[in-house]
Amino acid sequence: MKPPDQNFGSDASARHVLNVSGGKDSSAMALLMAGRVRGQEHFKRDDMEYLFCDTQKELPETYEYLARLEAELGSKITYLNAKAGFDHWHKVFGGYLPSPQNRWCTKMLKLKPFEAHVGEEPVVSYVGLRADEDRVGYISTKPNIKTRYPLREAGIDYKGVIQILEDSGLGLPTFMKWGRTNSGCTFCFFQTPYEWIRLHETYPDRFEEAMKYETIDPSDPNKQFTWMSEGPLTDLLNPVRRDEILLSGIRSKVRTIDKSLVSVFSGESTSSVEACLLCQK
Ligand code: SF4
């Protein structure tokens, strides 16, 4: 296995920064870069800066998990906040909610604070894409920021990530216990209807907060701003629709477990859609 290039590019004085999201992949990557993965100790960097771009709309479990990760790493995680929060940008964008096609949230609340923090110096940014993922990710394109993918370099896939988290004692983020797949904002539009319903059951107040951001103006077809492309969140409160979604979500989870077991026993790779690479979406 090739060790990471300690002097990335031509600049030996580059800063090395790693954004954690509070999710499993970036946490496993942080443990790898802290030299906590047996057999992969050559990845260790003592000069790594650990960052977290805090949108202040995160799940409580994310903060709790980051505090435990910080203890495991033995290094401080610096929290970066955008100068202006979600509500400010929501107004600037005329009430238009972010979506996979228009991710102003990632740009304004994650990328901009990160770019402002690192400034114009040469920087190596470490991103948590796994070896079994084929997506590119939403990353900074500033010329002074070079990107590395340590999990890919080390050949670490989904199964490897789980192993790292178990071996370290950190385990999986606790929001996964109630059905949320990824870290990120409570109202992230990447959630499935199943995850929205589980959010409603777990944090009804946060679900209601998300509902208040939606705009359904019957007189203006251009003013239909909803988190889900299939309709407003109130639809999910219909008991029939809710039960259908919960049932289909449980079936899909059983299929995923079956697939994971097949991959564990056969060594096949898996791929999953995850959220911004700064918020793992
Ligand atoms: S977690 Fe979702 S809503 Fe939050 S910044 Fe990332 S993509 Fe946007």
Side-chain angles (χ1 to χ4, degrees):
M1 185 95 29
K2 253 179 83 186
D5 181 359
Q6 298 295 304
N7 296 326
F8 187 83
S10 58
D11 196 327
S13 63
R15 282 167 69 189
H16 294 261
V17 298
L18 188 156
N19 275 287
V20 287
S21 67
K24 65 183 186 331
D25 293 343
S26 63
S27 300
M29 171 177 62
L31 290 165
L32 173 69
M33 297 310 299
R36 294 286 312 281
V37 178
R38 199 175 306 145
Q40 306 274 19
E41 290 85 354
H42 50 274
F43 275 85
K44 187 172 192 295
R45 285 208 73 100
D46 292 326
D47 57 352
M48 187 67 80
E49 290 176 49
Y50 298 95
L51 306 176
F52 172 64
C53 293
D54 185 4
T55 63
Q56 301 179 357
K57 299 285 181 183
E58 314 279 338
L59 291 163
E61 290 91 340
T62 299
Y63 297 112
E64 175 265 333
Y65 195 67
L66 287 170
R68 289 202 292 118
L69 175 63
E70 202 168 42
E72 287 296 331
L73 294 172
S75 299
K76 184 177 165 44
I77 298 173
T78 303
Y79 281 37
L80 306 180
N81 290 127
K83 280 199 184 122
F86 183 88
D87 293 332
H88 167 81
W89 291 111
H90 182 233
K91 261 192 207 140
V92 170
F93 282 86
Y96 192 97
L97 291 178
S99 68
Q101 295 73 37
N102 186 354
R103 287 174 63 171
W104 58 257
C105 52
T106 306
K107 197 170 166 196
M108 300 304 177
L109 304 175
K110 297 275 181 178
L111 274 180
K112 291 277 179 201
F114 169 65
E115 289 175 349
H117 180 77
V118 299
E120 301 304 322
E121 303 169 54
V123 164
V124 183
S125 170
Y126 293 77
V127 170
L129 276 183
R130 301 189 311 262
D132 58 332
E133 292 182 296
D134 54 11
R135 67 200 172 94
V136 179
Y138 199 95
I139 54 173
S140 175
T141 52
K142 278 189 75 176
N144 61 315
I145 301 176
K146 308 285 184 209
T147 306
R148 293 193 72 98
Y149 303 96
L151 294 176
R152 276 188 179 168
E153 289 172 26
I156 295 170
D157 59 7
Y158 179 85
K159 192 172 51 163
V161 162
I162 305 294
Q163 192 68 53
I164 291 171
L165 297 177
E166 275 178 13
D167 290 349
S168 70
L170 187 65
L172 288 167
T174 48
F175 53 71
M176 293 182 82
K177 286 188 184 155
W178 55 263
R180 176 79 176 243
T181 315
N182 293 303
S183 56
C185 305
T186 54
F187 46 57
C188 183
F189 48 83
F190 279 111
Q191 284 174 90
T192 61
Y194 175 83
E195 288 175 295
W196 276 112
I197 290 176
R198 294 296 294 128
L199 177 72
H200 179 240
E201 290 172 345
T202 314
Y203 294 111
D205 51 332
R206 305 215 174 199
F207 184 90
E208 273 166 37
E209 186 192 1
M211 277 173 47
K212 286 185 190 148
Y213 283 108
E214 295 191 316
T215 307
I216 317 284
D217 185 343
S219 65
D220 185 349
N222 293 320
K223 282 202 178 155
Q224 314 295 319
F225 304 137
T226 59
W227 293 108
M228 302 186 298
S229 55
E230 50 273 66
L233 292 177
T234 42
D235 286 359
L236 301 178
L237 302 179
N238 174 310
V240 177
R241 173 126 170 80
R242 178 184 160 278
D243 288 352
E244 277 170 9
I245 291 168
L246 283 177
L247 192 60
S248 114
I250 289 163
R251 284 195 184 122
S252 147
K253 284 204 177 294
V254 169
R255 279 197 298 276
T256 306
I257 290 167
D258 282 352
K259 202 175 154 201
S260 300
L261 286 174
V262 167
S263 79
V264 166
F265 289 113
S266 68
E268 275 175 25
S269 69
T270 58
S271 179
S272 69
V273 177
E274 256 191 310
C276 48
L277 286 182
L278 294 177
C279 50
Q280 290 296 312
K281 307 237 179 286

